[in-house]
Amino acid sequence: MHAAIRIRPIAEGDFTGWKPLWDGYNAFYGRAGSTALPDEITQTTWRRFFDAGEPVHALVAEGADGQLVGLAHYLFHRSTTQLGPTCYLQDLFTVEAARGQGVGRALIEQAARCARQAGAARLYWQTHETNATAMKLYDAVAEKSGFVVYRITL
C-alpha cells in the first residue's frame, strides 16, 4: 500500500468526504439516478456509525492530502454455529484513482483486526459475480466459501 494512505475509523466530520464514496459504491451496483437509495437510508446509515447501540461500523481510507479515497462498512451479528459474533463486511469501495494501490486490501485487513478485537471468529463478504477486478484481491486475501446467496425482496 502507498505509505500516504491511512486507514481509520470514520469521524462525524467526514460526511462530505464519505458521501461521494457512498454514492460511488451505490452507483457501481446500479443504485443511482432514478434507482438511487432514498436519502433517508443514507442519513440513517450515517447516524448508525456513531450510535453505540448499533452493530454497524465504518472505516475510511484517507490520502496524504486528507481526501477520503475508500470506505468499508461492517457489522456484527450472531451465528448459530459459534458463540462469538460474526463480522459481515457489507460495503467496500475505493475511488478509481486509488485502485491497485493496496487501499482495498488495507481496508479489509483493518476490518479483520476490528473483528478480532470484538471477539469475532469470522469476517465474510460477498460481491457480484461480474466484479472480476475485486475478486482478484478477494481471492488473494480470503477463501471462497462455496455458498451461493439467495434472497427474497420483501
Side-chain angles (χ1 to χ4, degrees):
M1 181 179 70
H2 192 276
I5 300 295
R6 181 171 72 113
I7 307 301
R8 62 171 175 78
I10 202 161
E12 291 189 42
D14 287 332
F15 185 81
T16 58
W18 170 84
K19 178 73 165 48
L21 296 170
W22 175 241
D23 291 342
Y25 171 79
N26 283 299
F28 180 83
Y29 284 108
R31 297 181 296 261
S34 64
T35 60
L37 292 176
D39 189 57
E40 179 183 16
I41 292 176
T42 295
Q43 294 302 321
T44 299
T45 297
W46 178 256
R47 285 191 304 273
R48 286 177 175 162
F49 299 146
F50 306 103
D51 182 341
E54 287 284 346
V56 182
H57 306 275
L59 300 168
V60 290
E62 183 179 59
D65 60 0
Q67 297 295 309
L68 299 186
V69 296
L71 62 75
H73 303 150
Y74 60 97
L75 58 98
F76 294 99
H77 64 84
R78 299 279 187 216
S79 171
T80 60
T81 61
Q82 60 193 34
L83 297 176
T86 294
C87 187
Y88 176 54
L89 179 60
Q90 185 164 5
D91 311 318
L92 180 68
F93 182 78
T94 63
V95 296
E96 192 169 340
R99 293 181 190 153
Q101 297 180 26
V103 176
R105 178 185 296 261
L107 284 162
I108 291 169
E109 289 171 352
Q110 184 59 33
R113 280 191 286 279
C114 293
R116 275 189 214 94
Q117 290 172 352
R122 180 182 315 130
L123 171 68
Y124 73 101
W125 61 92
Q126 60 188 6
T127 193
H128 195 271
E129 64 188 351
T130 61
N131 196 354
T133 301
M135 287 191 289
K136 288 177 189 173
L137 169 62
Y138 302 160
D139 288 343
V141 300
E143 64 181 58
K144 287 184 182 173
S145 68
F147 284 89
V148 176
V149 176
Y150 292 86
R151 68 181 176 200
I152 297 172
T153 301
L154 305 174

